[in-house]
Amino acid sequence: MLNASGSAVSQFAVYFLVTISVALLSIELGYRHARKRLLRAQREGDVEKEAPVGAMVGTTLGLLAFLLAFTFGLAADTFHARKVALLEEVKAIRSTYLLADVVPEPQRAAIRGILRDYVDDRLRWVGAKPGRPRVPEQELIDALWRQAAIVGIHNPGGVDVFLASVGRIIDV
């Protein structure tokens, strides 16, 4: 997840630098062209009035404001979507941890241990906690499902809410 966001930021930085470079280059070329024309006109004695630059500057600033608003809007939408996804995952983990109370003891301890390991490694995956993840995400999810399947086999129909909660963690 961090790598995807890091590449999006670097991609944005590249687009930003290219846009700024093109804008500055066009300003410089326009300035040199206008200066050359003015010098030629002065030598020939044909001096013309200055062009209305204010309208061009206003238009350029309006376009820049539009681009900034569009870019910040996209960034805000992405941030909000990531925040909502994280909250959904936290709710799913919390409800599964609490619903583990209805599970018989050998699996209850195993399920809660897997969920604690998952949260601990999840913090490492996103860089919020130092160190490398101990177990890949898929292995933890598979171990959680194996324990939930054992519970489902031994208690058919009695722990449907718990199994749905485990399924929600897998989906999220």
Side-chain angles (χ1 to χ4, degrees):
M1 190 175 254
L2 182 62
N3 291 339
S5 123
S7 66
V9 169
S10 65
Q11 188 178 17
F12 172 75
V14 168
Y15 287 140
F16 177 75
L17 291 176
V18 167
T19 303
I20 292 296
S21 300
V22 167
L24 291 176
L25 181 66
S26 64
I27 289 170
E28 183 64 27
L29 290 176
Y31 174 76
R32 288 180 185 215
H33 176 69
R35 185 168 172 89
K36 189 167 38 169
R37 279 188 59 195
L38 180 63
L39 291 175
R40 187 174 1 143
Q42 285 176 346
R43 273 184 297 199
E44 295 173 0
D46 186 26
V47 179
E48 61 184 56
K49 288 188 171 183
E50 289 188 28
V53 177
M56 289 186 284
V57 169
T59 303
T60 304
L61 289 176
L63 180 60
L64 177 65
F66 173 73
L67 286 173
L68 285 173
F70 186 72
T71 303
F72 283 122
L74 286 175
D77 289 345
T78 302
F79 176 76
H80 180 70
R82 288 180 65 194
K83 183 179 175 183
V84 167
L86 179 65
L87 287 175
E88 286 298 316
E89 185 178 16
V90 167
K91 287 178 190 176
I93 291 169
R94 183 176 188 271
S95 65
T96 303
Y97 192 87
L98 293 175
L99 285 170
D101 283 341
V102 300
V103 174
E105 185 45 49
Q107 281 77 38
R108 180 184 314 153
I111 288 169
R112 285 188 169 166
I114 291 168
L115 289 174
R116 280 192 292 272
D117 289 343
Y118 179 81
V119 170
D120 191 46
D121 280 351
R122 175 73 166 89
L123 291 172
R124 286 187 170 106
W125 293 324
V126 296
K129 193 172 186 180
R132 296 176 75 54
R134 295 170 294 192
V135 181
E137 177 185 13
Q138 193 59 43
E139 284 184 31
L140 288 171
I141 294 295
D142 291 343
L144 179 64
W145 183 249
R146 280 193 299 274
Q147 293 298 321
I150 291 170
V151 170
I153 289 170
H154 292 315
N155 303 311
V159 287
D160 292 340
V161 175
F162 172 75
L163 293 176
S165 181
V166 170
R168 193 165 146 222
I169 286 179
I170 292 171
D171 289 343
V172 170

